[in-house]
Amino acid sequence: MRYHNITKDDMLNGDGLRVVLWVSGCSHCCKGCQNPLTWDPDGGLPFDDAAKKEIFDQLDKPYISGITFSGGDPLYCANRLDVRSLIEEIHDKYPDKTIWLYTGYKWEEVWHYPMMKYVDVLVDGEYVEECRDVTLLWKGSSNQRVIDVKATLEKTDKLVPILHCGDHE
C-alpha cells in the first residue's frame, strides 16, 4: 500500500478529532474530485513502519476519537488487504477509537468485506459533481451516504444512516 498523507487533529473527515490516512489508488476518477493526485496507485509514499508508528502515536492520544481512511480509495483493489490488516490491528489495539472509511464503492458492493465488522462508519458512493452540496456533513455530494455500519449489519433489511442537523437523507 502507498499513501499521500497522514493528517493529524482533523475535524472534517468524521466525528471528533481524528487522524486521517490518505491512501494512493482509485479507479473511480470522479469528475471534480478534491484529491485527483491520489488516484495513481504508484503515487505517494510506501506505507512503512514509520507511517504506522505516526498513526499509532496519534491514536495513543486520549483526545483523538479515531482514524479515518480516505484517499484515493482505501478499497481500491491494491489497498484492500493492507487496509484490512491495519483496520484489524487498530481495532484490537484501540477498541474505544472509531474507524471511518470513505470509498467510492456503494455499501451494497462492500458490506460483505471482512473488514467491515471493524468499521464504525462508512461514507459510500462516488463523488458526483452535479450533486455537490457544501452544507452536508462528512460528504461532498448528496448521493453519498454516511452509514452506521454496526447498526446496518445488525439490520440486514435496511441501511441505517447517521443523520445530523442539515443532512438531507
Side-chain angles (χ1 to χ4, degrees), residues 91-162:
H91 179 268
D92 290 345
K93 186 170 175 141
Y94 304 98
D96 296 328
K97 306 282 183 171
T98 58
I99 298 172
W100 284 52
L101 191 145
Y102 281 76
T103 183
Y105 295 100
K106 291 191 176 256
W107 168 254
E108 293 80 3
E109 298 173 281
V110 301
W111 69 269
H112 63 283
Y113 287 5
M115 72 185 82
M116 285 303 151
K117 65 183 173 187
Y118 304 113
V119 173
D120 294 287
V121 177
L122 180 79
V123 181
D124 83 336
E126 294 184 2
Y127 171 76
V128 176
E129 192 170 43
E130 294 77 18
C131 297
R132 181 175 187 251
D133 186 342
V134 298
T135 66
L136 299 173
L137 284 175
W138 306 315
K139 57 187 182 176
S141 57
S142 59
N143 63 295
Q144 295 172 310
R145 299 175 291 186
V146 181
I147 299 167
D148 181 329
V149 173
K150 296 193 184 333
T152 298
L153 288 173
E154 289 174 10
K155 298 177 187 285
T156 58
D157 59 333
K158 67 178 210 163
L159 287 173
V160 181
I162 295 180

Side-chain angles (χ1 to χ4, degrees), residues 9-159:
D9 298 333
D10 182 279
M11 295 178 5
L12 301 174
N13 296 285
D15 198 22
L17 279 175
R18 314 188 64 72
V19 58
V20 181
L21 175 62
W22 302 89
V23 301
S24 299
C26 184
S27 58
H28 303 289
C29 304
C30 303
K31 177 182 169 193
C33 173
Q34 68 173 355
N35 297 317
L37 182 67
T38 64
W39 294 352
D40 181 359
D42 297 320
L45 306 164
F47 188 80
D48 57 12
D49 288 339
K52 187 174 177 180
K53 181 181 181 326
E54 185 176 347
I55 289 171
F56 284 21
D57 286 348
Q58 291 301 303
L59 291 170
D60 283 339
K61 297 176 180 178
Y63 62 86
I64 296 296
S65 300
I67 185 166
T68 299
F69 290 84
S70 193
D73 193 330
L75 299 183
Y76 177 73
C77 59
N79 294 331
R80 287 181 196 153
L81 289 179
D82 291 329
V83 167
R84 175 185 173 181
S85 294
L86 186 56
I87 284 175
E88 289 175 359
E89 188 172 352
I90 289 169
H91 179 268
D92 290 345
K93 186 170 175 141
Y94 304 98
D96 296 328
K97 306 282 183 171
T98 58
I99 298 172
W100 284 52
L101 191 145
Y102 281 76
T103 183
Y105 295 100
K106 291 191 176 256
W107 168 254
E108 293 80 3
E109 298 173 281
V110 301
W111 69 269
H112 63 283
Y113 287 5
M115 72 185 82
M116 285 303 151
K117 65 183 173 187
Y118 304 113
V119 173
D120 294 287
V121 177
L122 180 79
V123 181
D124 83 336
E126 294 184 2
Y127 171 76
V128 176
E129 192 170 43
E130 294 77 18
C131 297
R132 181 175 187 251
D133 186 342
V134 298
T135 66
L136 299 173
L137 284 175
W138 306 315
K139 57 187 182 176
S141 57
S142 59
N143 63 295
Q144 295 172 310
R145 299 175 291 186
V146 181
I147 299 167
D148 181 329
V149 173
K150 296 193 184 333
T152 298
L153 288 173
E154 289 174 10
K155 298 177 187 285
T156 58
D157 59 333
K158 67 178 210 163
L159 287 173

